[in-house]
Structures are given as C-alpha cells and as structure tokens.
Amino acid sequence: MGILQNIIAVIVVLGLLITIHEFGHFWVARRCGIRVLRFSVGFGKPLISRVDRYGTEFALAAIPLGGYVKMLDECEGPVDPSEQHLAFNRQHVLKRIAVVIAGPLANFILAVVAYWVMFMAGTTAIVPMVGEVTPDSPAAHGGLKNGQEIVSVQGRQTPDWNGVNLALVAEIGATGHLEISTRDEQGRLESHQLPVDSFMARQDPPEPLRTLGFAPWRPDIAPVIGQVLDNSPAAKGGLEPGDRIRAVDGQTISTWEALVSRVQAAANTPLELQIARAGRDMTVTVTPEGREQEGTMVGFMGAGAGSVSWPQEYQRTLAWGPLGAMGQALSRTGEMTSLTVGSIGKMITGLISPSNLSGPITIARVAGDSARSGLESFISFLAYLSISLGVLNLLPVPVLDGGHLVYYVIELVRGRPVSERIQAFGLRIGMALIASLMLMAFYFDIMRL
C-alpha cells in the first residue's frame, strides 16, 4: 500500500507541476499570436484528446511523468505561407523570450499560491528550543544552553525549527562564526557566536544541528514503534507498529532516545528485544544494519517512533490574514529560490556532495511521506518542488528553457539569431548534461534504498 501511495502521490505532484509549467508557455504563446498545435500532459500515445476552436489539440498521454507544448515552427517542419505569421520562429525575439520564461514563472506563481493558502490556513509549529548540548562542540563554545529558544540565525527570524534548518542550510561551506540569537525563560536575549570551519561541506545528508553539537528539546518519547520501513531490519525481525519496547538484551528501556542509543551502538549485532504487543509479552531478535556516518559505523533499525504529545507551551500557531499571508508566501518563495540557486552553486564548487541529488525514487518516497503526514506537509513539498522545477528550467543549459533564453538574449544584443549549427551543437551538449544528471540522480536514489 505504501508503494502504491508513493506512486499516486508522485504522479499527482509531477503531473500538476508539469501541467502548470506547460500552461505558462501555452498561455503566453496564445497571447503573443502564436499558433499552438498541441498541449500534452504526458508523453507517448494520447489516451484522451480534443481539439478546440483554435485548432489546438489537448491531450492526456500514456506516460504521465512529463508534458509539452508544440507550437507552429518552421524549425520543426514546413509551414504554409498563409500561416507563417503564426509560427514561433517568426515572432519578435521579445515575444519568444516571454514564451520561454512563462513556464518557470508559472512554477514560481504556483509556489506563491500554495504557500499563501498554507499561511492563511495557519500552521502549528514547534518552538525551536535547544535541548541537549554536546560538550566541546561549536554550540557549547558559543554558549548555547538547554532551554533557550532560538529566535534568529544570521539575522534571519526563526519562529520554528523549519526556519532554523533553512537558515543553517543556507550557510553550508561557511568558515568563521555563525550568529545565533536566543531567548531564555526570563525573556532575556543573548547573541552567540558558534565557530565553524567549512560548515557541513560535502555532508550527505546535511545535518546542521548535529554538526553544531546540539539537539532540539523534545518531551520524553515512549519506546513505542510508530512505523516500520519495508524490508528493514525491524521488519525482518518481526517488529510491528504499536509494539512497545520494554527491554534490550535484558536492560530496561523507558524512552525512545535510550532505544536509539542502543540500536546505533549495535551495528550488525543481533539485539534481543522484549516487547509488549496487544497485551502479550514476547521476544524478537533484530540485527541493526551498519551504516557509515562520518567515519563511524552506526546501527540502523528502520523503525520510527509513534506520535509525540508536545506540551502546549512548546507549540505556536502561525497564521496570517490574506495580505499578511501573501507577504509571507512571497518571502518564503524568495528564500527557497535563493536556497535552491545557492545549493546548485555550492554543488558545482564541491561544497555540497553530488550524492544529495534526488531522482524519481526519492521524489516518490518524499511525496508519499508528505501526503501521509498531512495537507500542510504535502503543500509545502509541492511548493518547494515547483520552485526547484522553475530554477532548474532557468539554468543556462541548451534543451532547458534557460538555454533557449540565452540564445534569445544573444540574438537581442547582436540583432541576429545564433546560427543553427551552434544551436545544434549546444543541443547535443545539453542533452548529454541532462542525461548525465538524471543517471547520477537515479544512481544515488538506488544507493539510498
């Protein structure tokens, strides 16, 4: 059922994002007087199609992961002289630029609308309160203490943990000090300077809090299994959602953190778990899978905790009216766009490991998880993926919208188009680059399984 939900979720997400993207091209092309021959959602043989009064075929094709808008264009075949004024290639270069940029712009607009709806509906957030601080860590040297609320990172306000993590991820590769402002229980503000050196450079995946040496405060979590990953050590050992772990190798376990500690210290070592299930006590054996993290082998069981009950004072509701929500939506879209562009740049320069690339398998899993986590998580993921699609398409790579945009800007400056020979050469390079990125992303997807 989980795999089916993931597949449905990714089809819905990618189908919506691609439809919006292509609609942007279509809408502007129509208003620029260009004849659109086909608007297809999906590739391959059309399953459903109809032709409107302008002669445009709208099709839903068999392969749902993609789409395209086909316009009348002499570069793709002969055009009747009576219709040449409707061809894309005959339009002024500014019109062609408008058509090309409309697709990515539509994705950014979708993100703004999604965030606007989410912020108007209101979100329940966990107050970013500092928990345990690791001795001799950057957090300890900076003076962070248990019970302090993080109010800003590098001058960026952080009303919740999402804000903290976004602000820290934006500082990947930083050397020097990170400024974190906190508020204690008496309301006193304090500024902390945390020393960093090539902060989180090439980490896979980036773990900002762990790297700085502190954890979020959280209430004691009961050692009750909430979810079990398919084909994980927990599943193979017979653990099921709802199981309460009473002891590990005879040692009583009272919190989820204690269970995690025992599992992480037992990589590839069988553990005997005493559990309570439906009023019955029983014993199962689980062998945590060893995974290397920063040169250390850590045990992984593949099970998650059950729901956590947070005290009311550690929760806050973030909600805005229509105008305030729009301001927040524009701000969040700008932040995520900046983060995405910065991450691409850092990946090119080597500060971020290429292994953080995500392909269809990871997207499907995250889409399914966010859908199961609730509407807020799903909308947030949809908005971020829409921004990523918009940024990706604006990269100056032939084949992508950004590559075409470069050609048209050059044409605007020079007064004549880039030669077909150069465009054909760029097309081959662009296709090779995109194919390589797709293969890398798919490879790293497989390695994460």
Side-chain angles (χ1 to χ4, degrees):
M1 180 60 73
I3 294 177
L4 180 60
Q5 286 179 322
N6 288 356
I7 293 173
I8 293 173
V10 77
I11 288 176
V12 170
V13 169
L14 291 183
L16 176 60
L17 297 186
I18 291 168
T19 300
I20 292 294
H21 180 94
E22 297 302 334
F23 180 78
H25 291 311
F26 165 79
W27 191 85
V28 174
R30 274 274 181 92
R31 274 139 193 84
C32 287
I34 301 168
R35 183 180 175 193
V36 180
L37 302 177
R38 174 181 286 180
F39 183 148
S40 177
V41 177
F43 294 113
K45 183 179 180 181
L47 301 176
I48 304 172
S49 69
R50 73 174 184 85
V51 178
D52 70 1
R53 60 193 178 95
Y54 298 103
T56 300
E57 179 189 7
F58 293 86
L60 179 63
I63 304 174
L65 304 181
Y68 62 92
V69 169
K70 182 179 180 180
M71 290 171 273
L72 192 67
D73 194 326
E74 291 175 297
C75 296
E76 297 186 6
V79 175
D80 189 283
S82 64
E83 292 190 321
Q84 287 179 351
H85 67 288
L86 302 175
F88 177 78
N89 65 290
R90 292 280 181 140
Q91 307 304 310
H92 188 277
V93 65
L94 290 178
K95 286 188 176 182
R96 283 179 275 144
I97 287 175
V99 172
V100 166
I101 207 170
L105 182 60
N107 286 123
F108 292 122
I109 292 173
L110 173 62
V112 171
V113 171
Y115 282 135
W116 179 63
V117 170
M118 187 176 75
F119 287 132
M120 275 205 306
T123 62
T124 299
I126 302 300
V127 176
M129 199 74 70
V130 176
E132 182 180 354
V133 177
T134 305
D136 201 32
S137 65
H141 289 301
L144 284 186
K145 299 180 182 65
N146 183 292
Q148 292 176 322
E149 177 190 348
I150 299 175
V151 295
S152 71
V153 174
Q154 293 291 86
R156 295 172 59 176
Q157 298 301 305
T158 54
D160 56 14
W161 280 113
N162 183 57
V164 172
N165 282 302
L166 287 178
L168 290 175
V169 168
E171 300 301 322
I172 288 178
T175 295
H177 291 85
L178 296 181
E179 182 182 359
I180 293 181
S181 297
T182 63
R183 180 189 295 116
D184 64 18
E185 293 179 354
Q186 285 71 44
R188 293 176 301 217
L189 294 176
E190 184 177 352
S191 179
H192 309 264
Q193 302 293 324
L194 278 60
V196 292
D197 184 14
S198 298
F199 180 54
M200 292 195 298
R202 298 191 67 80
Q203 274 193 14
D204 179 25
E207 296 182 288
L209 303 187
R210 186 168 176 266
T211 302
L212 291 176
F214 72 97
W217 182 91
R218 61 183 63 197
D220 287 338
I221 304 173
V224 177
I225 304 297
Q227 56 182 333
V228 177
L229 298 180
D230 295 337
N231 298 316
S232 65
K236 294 175 182 177
L239 285 178
E240 298 178 0
D243 289 347
R244 184 183 185 93
I245 312 300
R246 294 192 179 279
V248 176
D249 287 342
Q251 181 179 349
T252 301
I253 295 294
S254 58
T255 66
W256 183 263
E257 287 75 14
L259 173 63
V260 170
S261 179
R262 290 299 307 274
V263 169
Q264 291 183 339
N268 302 313
T269 302
L271 294 176
E272 187 177 83
L273 307 183
Q274 287 77 49
I275 67 174
R277 178 186 297 169
R280 296 185 300 114
D281 292 334
M282 55 192 302
T283 300
V284 300
T285 300
V286 175
T287 304
E289 173 188 336
R291 294 186 178 181
E292 188 173 341
Q293 288 186 1
E294 299 182 2
T296 302
M297 194 62 69
V298 176
F300 169 80
M301 186 169 67
S307 59
V308 181
S309 178
W310 286 84
Q312 195 64 39
E313 61 268 26
Y314 290 99
Q315 301 181 51
R316 62 167 50 118
T317 300
L318 306 175
W320 292 265
L323 290 180
M326 178 55 69
Q328 290 293 323
L330 290 169
S331 176
R332 177 64 64 84
T333 301
E335 288 178 1
M336 299 307 293
T337 300
S338 175
L339 178 64
T340 303
V341 173
S343 297
I344 292 173
K346 290 174 181 179
M347 191 171 293
I348 292 173
T349 58
L351 289 176
I352 295 180
S353 171
S355 57
N356 286 287
L357 283 171
S358 296
I361 297 175
T362 298
I363 292 173
R365 188 178 70 247
V366 175
D369 290 344
S370 62
R372 286 187 287 271
S373 297
L375 187 59
E376 179 185 327
S377 295
F378 187 72
I379 290 177
S380 184
F381 173 71
L382 174 71
Y384 177 63
L385 197 59
S386 189
I387 290 169
S388 299
L389 183 60
V391 170
L392 177 65
N393 271 279
L394 285 176
L395 293 178
V397 177
V399 178
L400 300 178
D401 293 330
H404 294 296
L405 191 59
V406 169
Y407 290 147
Y408 299 149
V409 170
I410 293 174
E411 179 182 343
L412 188 64
V413 173
R414 295 173 69 229
R416 63 182 186 275
V418 176
S419 70
E420 292 186 9
R421 181 178 61 84
I422 292 178
Q423 291 192 46
F425 180 70
L427 180 65
R428 290 194 292 271
I429 293 177
M431 291 182 67
L433 284 173
I434 296 301
S436 299
L437 284 174
M438 291 177 65
L439 286 173
M440 286 178 61
F442 188 72
Y443 169 76
F444 290 129
D445 272 1
I446 298 297
M447 295 301 292
R448 292 187 189 104
L449 293 178

